[in-house]
Amino acid sequence: MSQDLTESICSVMPHSSQFPHSAHSPEPCGKSHVGDNIYIIKRILFVSWGLIGRGTICYLASLNEEDYIVKDHWVLGKQDDIILNEIEMLKLMHGVPGVPKLVDYWLITTSVGEVDNTRSYRKREHQSTQGTSCTHVRLILKPCARPLHMFQTLKELVRALRDIVISKCLVDSELNKSAELMSLLLLVQKTAVEERKILHRNCSLNNVMILDDLDISKGFLIDWEFAVHITADNKYTIGGTGMVPFMSCRLLSQVALLQQQAKAEAENKKLSKTCKLKSKQIPASKTPKTSLV
């Protein structure tokens, strides 16, 4: 990765207080342990904000003079299928252009050999904290890309968005102007959905990057933690994630329909409960006694 790119990334660091050296300092700012390897941290690339979240920190690190991305974050849940979801998705997406390559990962363990989980830091479990425990996970990824807001030209910005969103890139043949448009690339979303049967579900400005590949910049889609499998009948889980400004109209319509159904069910349950209470309150009518003459 060029020095200019390194310096440009450092110039937009969210937490400069967590970076003890200047952008021009050749000294590393720390070390990161993953499996049997120790990576030398060179720069902090991204730090997530907010009181509630995954506490994601991304580092530019090196091992044997080769650059890597270290993603340190907390995944909601304790079950392996949830904790390892992004890892499994990246394995299934291996070889797809515009998707990070998973090099290694580690479920971080404590000094006593247990997987690091927020539940172990709580004295007791309250009703308000049930189901909110997170597991500490660290990923090693390649290659390093630029955030979308660091585009250098409008053409580069449009090209990156096209690579992520549009199904295919078509060009006109210079040898035959009347020839049909030919498909050059199967891009990120098309390949993921049509070939790998995986839906990302979390596209946003923070997850769309620009990858400098030789003399061409390309779109790069990161953060596959919330990705899901698409079933044979083209169904998938729609709840639990997604930023509203970036959700499709069709998905929003489905969410609205589910909300209406849930509201109707809640009202029916409330009405049924009210009717049962009223029936209990009304005393049973007594039949008058008849006297025998």
Side-chain angles (χ1 to χ4, degrees):
M1 187 173 64
S2 65
Q3 183 179 2
D4 293 338
L5 177 56
T6 303
E7 293 178 358
S8 63
I9 291 177
C10 289
S11 65
V12 293
M13 288 188 308
H15 283 320
S16 57
S17 61
Q18 298 186 21
F19 185 66
H21 301 283
S22 68
H24 302 283
S25 174
E27 300 179 21
C29 65
K31 298 180 180 180
S32 180
H33 180 78
V34 178
D36 297 329
N37 297 319
I38 297 178
Y39 294 81
I40 305 301
I41 297 176
K42 300 166 66 175
R43 298 287 184 270
I44 294 177
L45 304 180
F46 173 80
V47 179
S48 62
W49 291 82
L51 179 63
I52 300 176
R54 292 176 290 162
T56 303
I57 305 179
C58 294
Y59 304 95
L60 172 63
S62 65
L63 177 66
N64 299 327
E65 298 183 354
E66 190 171 355
D67 286 339
Y68 298 90
I69 301 299
V70 178
K71 179 182 178 181
D72 187 284
H73 65 308
W74 295 78
V75 180
L76 182 64
K78 298 182 299 180
Q79 299 176 355
D80 288 346
D81 58 337
I82 298 176
I83 299 172
L84 303 178
N85 185 64
E86 182 173 16
I87 296 165
E88 295 302 322
M89 292 299 171
L90 288 175
K91 289 180 179 180
L92 293 173
M93 293 292 292
H94 178 74
V96 176
V99 176
K101 177 184 177 182
L102 178 66
V103 178
D104 200 359
Y105 71 93
W106 183 37
L107 299 183
I108 298 177
T109 55
T110 62
S111 57
V112 295
E114 297 179 352
V115 176
D116 195 14
N117 189 280
T118 54
R119 189 173 184 179
S120 61
Y121 299 97
R122 299 168 181 166
K123 292 184 178 180
R124 60 178 180 175
E125 190 76 17
H126 298 275
Q127 185 176 0
S128 59
T129 60
Q130 290 181 358
T132 62
S133 61
C134 296
T135 303
H136 201 176
V137 182
R138 191 170 292 163
L139 307 181
I140 303 298
L141 307 166
K142 289 185 66 176
C144 182
R146 287 180 284 139
L148 184 65
H149 68 262
M150 292 177 59
F151 66 92
Q152 298 174 353
T153 65
L154 288 177
K155 183 177 181 180
E156 184 178 69
L157 172 64
V158 174
R159 183 189 296 120
L161 293 175
R162 177 206 64 187
D163 291 349
I164 299 298
V165 179
I166 300 179
S167 61
K168 60 179 66 177
C169 172
L170 301 175
V171 296
D172 206 351
S173 173
E174 295 181 357
L175 298 177
N176 187 356
K177 295 298 181 179
S178 61
E180 295 183 356
L181 294 176
M182 54 184 295
S183 174
L184 290 182
L185 299 172
L186 290 176
L187 305 178
V188 182
Q189 294 279 41
K190 178 181 176 64
T191 307
V193 172
E194 296 186 0
E195 295 186 13
R196 308 298 170 94
K197 298 299 180 181
I198 295 175
L199 187 65
H200 186 275
R201 291 203 315 168
N202 195 24
C203 287
S204 68
L205 295 178
N206 290 332
N207 293 335
V208 178
M209 312 288 284
I210 299 175
L211 177 65
D212 295 311
D213 187 8
L214 298 178
D215 295 331
I216 301 177
S217 56
K218 301 177 181 179
F220 200 65
L221 188 59
I222 65 173
D223 197 355
W224 291 78
E225 180 180 342
F226 298 108
V228 292
H229 291 280
I230 302 175
T231 61
D233 54 352
N234 291 326
K235 293 183 179 180
Y236 56 89
T237 305
I238 66 172
T241 185
M243 299 181 66
V244 174
F246 303 96
M247 295 173 70
S248 67
C249 293
R250 178 179 296 181
L251 186 57
L252 289 172
S253 299
Q254 294 178 16
V255 172
L257 180 60
L258 290 176
Q259 289 176 341
Q260 292 175 1
Q261 293 176 352
K263 184 178 180 180
E265 290 178 0
E267 290 178 350
N268 289 335
K269 289 182 179 179
K270 186 177 179 180
L271 182 61
S272 177
K273 187 176 180 180
T274 303
C275 292
K276 288 181 179 179
L277 289 175
K278 287 183 177 180
S279 63
K280 290 181 180 179
Q281 293 174 356
I282 299 175
S285 59
K286 298 181 179 180
T287 56
K289 295 181 178 180
T290 57
S291 59
L292 296 176
V293 179

